[in-house]
Amino acid sequence: MLLKTKNLKFTHLNKIAIAIILLTQSIVFAQEVIQVDSTGVAKETELILDKKPTNLKDTIVPFKRFKAEGVAAVVGEYVILDSDIDKSYLEFEQTGVSTADISRCQLLGKLMEDKLYIHQARVDSILVSDTEINPQVDQLVEYMVGQLGSEEKVVEYYRKDNITELKNDLLKAKKDIELANRMQAKVVENAEVTPEEVRQFFYNIPEDERPVFSAEVEIAQIVIEPEVTKEAKQAVIDRLNEFRADIVENGASFATKAVLYSKDGAAATGGLLPSFRRGDPYAKEFKDVAFSLLEGEVSEPFETDFGFHILKVDKIKGQEVDVRHIILFPELSQATIDKAKEKVDKIRENIINDSISFGDAARLYSDQKETRNNGGQLVNPSNQDTRFDLTKMDPTLGAQVYNLQEGEVSKVFVDQDRTGKKTFKFLTVTNRYDEHPADFIKDYEKIKELALRQKQINTIEKWQNKKIKDTYISVDKDYKDCEFASNWTKKLK
């Protein structure tokens, strides 16, 4: 590995020498030097000569700053270029992150950390297969095509020869990200904190420096769905059977039917869904049908919690399948909508009149399976806690509860999920916690989370310092004076 890195440096010096020789032979007054970074994106630097060169001295003196593509650092077999740091700045700016307080040293440190994870992941034989990443790449390319209008424009924008080359580059980049994530997860997988460590962590923080937790609420809800009649369900099944017959008997295109009639986002891709396995989080009924069919087969209509489907198996790849589907939803009559509205209004009125508690009403009447047995209590999907930070919660939900007092019931409102299904619901705030300095008893779980995070950071730092000693690392002289968080320059301490 050491020899390989030395060869890289030798080649780089040769390139500079060749560039100088070419300059001495130049007879032009200006030319463009194209620099290419490690992502394949070209950069242009204009080189200006004051006059026709007559000797080497005239050639190399007057020009705007020119630096052949520089190697900032090497970690194992991975090279980090100066342009990679420039690209990191650009990515921050494009996502709206201020770079005013981010130094090149900090960015280089982060890039070296990422490369160390990837290097060690390969050493430890942590694998990421193409089949795991390909669906992500396909979705990303679909998104880019949607933004720019065509594959040709995407290829041109990213300066690639064709879409296959772009996909291969994206695949490599995403595999590296996943490798780094898995390596980091492996490093901290055994990091745990005891109650005593949590206590020490908290009381070691000076009182005036302890965290302040934002205002939070605990929320319960009651959801009433308009009843779908048997006639409405049968109408959807009949319609899907018509599609199926046209596809199976007449050779009609499943993808075209999906584009024209399917009621979800996958319609834009002809109903095509990302590859999945039996263990992936799809509806059980959907997976049962998908894995019961042969390649090319089209299913009979079937129902899930999301709607009514037919699906076609495009390809079976070992334990994975590629499928297309068409989803339809039963039409709701105005009579069933009015009946549901009347029901939800009556339930709310009984709660306000103290005829029944909110929790009991949720258990008896709510149509939402996930919350009704819990008295309607919502769980924060980001941390599986019942508390919601008012500054971070979903804006739609936040608008409904922001001004509610503890125990107060909201007005009935109409909600619509991503499938387009509409429901009536109302909410209550079961507990409200005002903004406050951290309290060891009341905020134990949050403090435990902070203590665990700190322990994970310490674990990673120790791991990094050990692996830095065991790994070939070279940092360019331009960055030798950087104050890195880890000892990348291997200075004696």
Side-chain angles (χ1 to χ4, degrees):
M1 189 178 296
L2 182 58
L3 179 60
K4 186 176 181 181
T5 306
K6 286 182 177 177
N7 286 339
L8 281 172
K9 288 188 174 182
F10 180 76
T11 303
H12 179 61
L13 291 172
N14 282 347
K15 287 182 179 179
I16 297 174
I18 292 168
I20 293 174
I21 292 168
L22 290 174
L23 284 173
T24 63
Q25 298 173 346
S26 175
I27 59 172
V28 296
F29 294 94
Q31 75 181 70
E32 286 181 338
V33 178
I34 305 299
Q35 302 178 21
V36 181
D37 68 14
S38 61
T39 63
V41 179
K43 293 175 175 289
E44 296 179 358
T45 302
E46 190 176 13
L47 176 66
I48 305 295
L49 299 178
D50 282 353
K51 58 184 178 179
K52 181 177 177 178
T54 57
N55 56 49
L56 181 59
K57 182 177 179 182
D58 288 336
T59 305
I60 63 175
V61 176
F63 64 97
K64 289 185 178 180
R65 179 180 180 272
F66 166 71
K67 180 181 180 182
E69 180 64 289
V71 174
V74 178
V75 179
E77 68 269 42
Y78 295 97
V79 176
I80 300 167
L81 304 176
D82 284 318
S83 57
D84 292 328
I85 302 174
D86 297 331
K87 182 171 176 286
S88 295
Y89 272 116
L90 184 61
E91 287 171 348
F92 277 127
E93 290 165 0
Q94 288 175 338
T95 54
V97 177
S98 173
T99 59
D101 298 322
I102 303 175
S103 69
R104 292 185 72 83
C105 289
Q106 289 172 317
L107 283 181
L108 177 58
K110 179 64 172 68
L111 290 170
M112 287 192 290
E113 182 181 319
D114 292 341
K115 297 303 183 188
L116 183 64
Y117 283 132
I118 298 167
H119 168 77
Q120 194 60 42
R122 297 192 185 281
V123 171
D124 291 357
S125 300
I126 295 176
L127 301 176
V128 176
S129 67
D130 290 359
T131 54
E132 293 178 75
I133 306 300
N134 274 326
Q136 299 176 35
V137 172
D138 291 340
Q139 286 180 333
L140 182 57
V141 170
E142 286 168 14
Y143 172 78
M144 293 190 294
V145 169
Q147 294 294 303
L148 297 179
S150 69
E151 284 190 357
E152 290 75 17
K153 289 182 179 179
V154 172
V155 169
E156 181 182 358
Y157 181 82
Y158 287 97
R159 302 188 184 189
K160 302 299 178 183
D161 291 336
N162 51 60
I163 197 70
T164 300
E165 182 186 356
L166 175 60
K167 283 187 174 183
N168 287 338
D169 287 350
L170 290 172
L171 178 67
K172 181 182 182 302
K174 284 193 164 289
K175 282 180 74 172
D176 282 350
I177 291 170
E178 184 60 25
L179 273 174
N181 289 339
R182 291 186 186 183
M183 189 66 245
Q184 190 177 61
K186 182 180 177 181
V187 172
V188 300
E189 65 182 353
N190 295 320
E192 296 179 350
V193 286
T194 65
E196 177 59 21
E197 287 175 316
V198 177
R199 190 190 69 80
Q200 288 182 9
F201 168 80
F202 179 74
Y203 287 108
N204 283 340
I205 304 173
E207 195 167 339
D208 60 345
E209 295 179 17
R210 287 174 186 168
V212 174
F213 293 125
S214 303
E216 296 175 308
V217 290
E218 292 182 317
I219 308 164
Q221 69 178 12
I222 291 175
V223 179
I224 301 299
E225 299 176 1
E227 183 183 1
V228 179
T229 63
K230 290 181 180 179
E231 293 77 14
K233 288 182 179 182
Q234 191 58 50
V236 169
I237 293 171
D238 292 344
R239 184 73 169 134
L240 289 172
N241 274 322
E242 289 176 15
F243 296 159
R244 183 178 186 277
D246 198 19
I247 294 164
V248 173
E249 297 171 14
N250 303 324
S253 167
F254 192 104
T256 301
K257 295 281 188 189
V259 169
L260 292 174
Y261 303 111
S262 190
K263 300 299 183 183
D264 71 340
T269 59
L272 183 64
L273 298 172
S275 303
F276 63 91
R277 301 182 176 213
R278 281 192 177 274
D280 289 345
Y282 280 71
K284 179 182 181 301
E285 301 89 346
F286 195 92
K287 289 189 288 187
D288 288 345
V289 172
F291 285 97
S292 69
L293 299 176
L294 299 176
E295 245 179 52
E297 276 194 290
V298 180
S299 75
E300 302 283 347
F302 64 95
E303 183 181 5
T304 70
D305 286 341
F306 299 98
F308 287 81
H309 317 249
I310 55 172
L311 68 79
K312 174 177 178 285
V313 173
D314 264 14
K315 193 168 185 180
I316 298 173
K317 302 181 294 187
Q319 300 299 312
E320 290 186 337
V321 291
D322 288 341
V323 305
R324 297 178 185 272
H325 85 138
I326 299 172
I327 183 171
L328 298 179
F329 313 121
E331 293 289 334
L332 296 173
S333 68
Q334 190 58 48
T336 61
I337 294 172
D338 293 343
K339 186 177 178 181
K341 180 66 167 65
E342 182 181 339
K343 179 180 178 181
V344 76
D345 285 341
K346 185 65 175 176
I347 295 169
R348 180 179 181 274
E349 182 182 342
N350 287 338
I351 292 171
I352 291 173
N353 293 336
D354 292 329
S355 299
I356 190 172
S357 70
F358 195 101
D360 288 342
R363 281 183 277 271
L364 286 171
Y365 305 117
S366 183
D367 290 324
Q368 189 177 55
K369 298 175 184 176
E370 296 85 359
T371 61
R372 67 184 177 203
N373 291 333
N374 241 1
Q377 193 76 53
L378 289 178
V379 174
N380 190 336
S382 66
N383 57 15
Q384 301 306 307
D385 191 9
T386 56
R387 293 189 185 188
F388 290 80
D389 186 330
L390 279 171
T391 65
K392 298 176 182 177
M393 67 192 305
D394 175 80
T396 304
L397 182 60
Q400 298 294 333
V401 303
Y402 191 82
N403 293 317
L404 284 184
Q405 299 303 310
E406 194 171 302
E408 189 178 357
V409 177
S410 75
K411 293 180 179 179
V412 174
F413 61 97
V414 177
D415 192 25
Q416 182 171 317
D417 65 17
R418 61 186 179 84
T419 68
K421 184 169 69 175
K422 294 181 179 179
T423 57
F424 294 104
K425 65 170 60 174
F426 60 96
L427 310 160
T428 188
V429 172
T430 56
N431 285 295
R432 180 179 282 271
Y433 307 89
D434 294 330
E435 181 179 280
H436 62 282
D439 180 280
F440 184 71
I441 302 299
K442 294 179 181 177
D443 302 306
Y444 180 81
E445 290 301 323
K446 284 187 173 60
I447 295 165
K448 179 181 178 182
E449 185 179 333
L450 293 175
L452 176 60
R453 194 177 306 163
Q454 184 60 55
K455 190 166 188 177
Q456 289 172 337
I457 290 170
N458 293 341
T459 302
I460 287 171
E461 187 176 323
K462 290 178 183 177
W463 178 88
Q464 276 187 7
N465 287 329
K466 181 180 184 301
K467 295 304 176 184
I468 286 171
K469 291 178 182 177
D470 299 339
T471 305
Y472 174 77
I473 294 170
S474 174
V475 179
D476 186 76
K477 59 182 175 59
D478 289 348
Y479 301 95
K480 287 289 187 182
D481 294 330
C482 286
E483 293 294 330
F484 294 118
S486 297
N487 190 20
W488 294 106
T489 54
K490 301 189 178 182
K491 295 176 181 176
L492 295 176
K493 293 186 178 180

